[in-house]
Amino acid sequence: MSRKKPPQITNDEQPVNPGLPTPLEIDEVDEGDEALDDAASTLAPISLRLTDDAIGQRLDKVLSGLIPEFSRNRIQQWIEDGHVTVDGATAKIKTTMLGDEQIEIAPQAAPQDHPYEPEAMALDILHEDKSIIVLDKPAGLVVHPAAGNWSGTLLNGLLHHCPALAQVPRAGIVHRLDKETSGLMVVAKTLAAQTDLVRQLQARTMKRQYLALVWGTPQLSGTVDAPMARHPRDRIKMAVSESMYAKTAVTHYRKLATGLIDRKPVSLLHCRLETGRTHQIRVHLQSLGFPLVGDALYGKHHLIPVFPRQALQAARLGVVHPGSGKFRQWAAPLPQDIVELLQRAGIDPALAVIPEMSDDPDPVSGDVDDDY
């Protein structure tokens, strides 16, 4: 019998890359029950004879108790696809068990059980050397395969661009941006570089700064020091929280300009993070009453049509280069959709500038869970 892998972990608890410190990152999409699947489990046929304990229970519930190494969602999919029989007849999920039935299951591999495939795609690479790749991710591109997005991700594109990344955990990805957030990311090309960058994230010495357009007019500058945790009623969301599970989250912001969209005030902000919790900028600004323009998850829903995504750009990135040991930084140009949005608001895009960062080692960002 093959040795079981630990269950894949998503969201609040994060997986540890082999040989690396915990990367403290999260998928853009909640993988839900599928996270319980054991990808190393054998896919040999399974035969089960039910006992009286199953009387009156639904088939999917019975099976999830008998083969807990597979999630209930996955078992339901097998039943729907005709891979489960009860006494020789094709089963249905809601079939009520009478006891003593003979169950035959033909397990099917889940998409995440297969190696990720290289896929050709255009990558906007600002810098590349033997240790790292710095790229400008467009809005709409998922960073890492997950439920609902098993292909067409940045990871697939990286594997095509640099096949050697297949030997590096997560194809060298050490931090993420939300699907609809644009801007800068750094990718490691070697295990040593990945280890170094992850440690910089954990030490809060990797520097990342953002530009955001929000509804309303915040004060000139401020700091949001508000712990965050998973939303108590909506697993897709994060929230400011006093829960014992909440993690420290600190966002500094500065107002760069103000304008109007459809006669409603908007403000262009420069955001600097001390931590990097999931959706941190979006949640912190929303908690002040200034949600991001276009944010369908946390924003003002009657104003969503104004912009098709959250108006958030990872505009500047600074790291200590894993090879040279010297501080390097890069800036990404504003994408055209945000340029046009600022012009619509009467804001000069030339004001959307973040000055160069100093190379001092004082922690200013990091402690990353994931995307923003």
Side-chain angles (χ1 to χ4, degrees), residues 118-346:
E119 296 179 33
M121 67 176 62
L123 298 177
D124 187 0
I125 295 176
L126 278 63
H127 171 85
E128 181 173 6
D129 57 41
K130 65 180 182 180
S131 298
I132 63 172
I133 298 171
V134 177
L135 57 88
D136 188 356
K137 186 192 85 70
L141 179 63
V142 173
V143 171
H144 192 284
N149 294 283
W150 294 114
S151 63
T153 71
L154 175 61
L155 183 145
N156 299 110
L158 287 169
L159 289 175
H160 183 272
H161 172 75
C162 180
L165 285 174
Q167 305 305 314
V168 183
R170 295 177 180 258
I173 293 170
V174 293
H175 68 111
R176 305 187 188 195
L177 292 177
D178 181 77
K179 176 182 178 181
E180 297 302 340
T181 298
S182 55
L184 293 172
M185 292 183 59
V186 61
V187 175
K189 294 180 69 175
T190 68
L191 182 59
Q194 188 181 47
T195 302
D196 187 286
L197 291 172
V198 168
R199 286 174 176 158
Q200 289 186 51
L201 282 169
Q202 293 181 320
R204 304 188 186 185
T205 56
M206 183 180 289
K207 302 181 180 184
R208 291 169 299 156
Q209 301 188 29
Y210 294 73
L211 290 166
L213 190 69
V214 302
W215 292 109
T217 310
Q219 62 187 28
L220 182 60
S221 63
T223 295
V224 185
D225 184 350
M228 291 174 52
R230 183 70 54 189
H231 193 285
R233 295 178 299 279
D234 188 341
R235 281 187 52 80
I236 296 177
K237 289 185 175 182
M238 302 296 291
V240 168
S241 173
E242 296 182 359
S243 161
M244 62 182 294
Y245 301 107
K247 298 178 182 179
T248 301
V250 181
T251 303
H252 304 282
Y253 68 88
R254 180 168 55 90
K255 185 167 59 181
L256 301 178
T258 59
L260 293 172
I261 294 180
D262 295 342
R263 295 184 292 182
K264 298 178 178 64
V266 294
S267 299
L268 176 64
L269 304 183
H270 163 213
C271 298
R272 180 173 63 86
L273 307 180
E274 284 192 20
T275 57
R277 303 305 175 196
T278 304
H279 299 171
Q280 179 176 318
I281 290 174
R282 299 162 67 185
V283 170
H284 271 178
L285 294 179
Q286 186 273 338
S287 74
L288 296 179
F290 306 111
L292 268 67
V293 172
D295 193 337
L297 189 60
Y298 300 102
K300 298 179 178 180
H301 291 277
H302 63 291
L303 298 175
I304 295 304
V306 166
F307 197 59
R309 67 175 179 100
Q310 64 260 17
L312 184 62
Q313 163 84 351
R316 189 172 284 274
L317 168 72
V319 302
V320 175
H321 192 283
S324 69
K326 296 180 179 179
F327 182 76
R328 296 287 307 277
Q329 61 181 297
W330 296 267
L334 277 180
Q336 187 60 30
D337 63 345
I338 291 185
V339 169
E340 294 173 358
L341 180 65
L342 293 179
Q343 292 172 335
R344 177 180 174 182

Side-chain angles (χ1 to χ4, degrees), residues 76-87:
Q76 289 175 338
Q77 191 62 55
W78 292 343
I79 297 172
E80 289 181 352
D81 293 344
H83 300 300
V84 179
T85 64
V86 176
D87 291 335

Side-chain angles (χ1 to χ4, degrees), residues 22 43 105 112 158 171 182 224 253 257 294-295 335 358 363 369:
T22 306
L43 294 180
I105 305 170
Q112 67 267 35
L158 287 169
S182 55
V224 185
Y253 68 88
D295 193 337
S358 68
D369 283 351

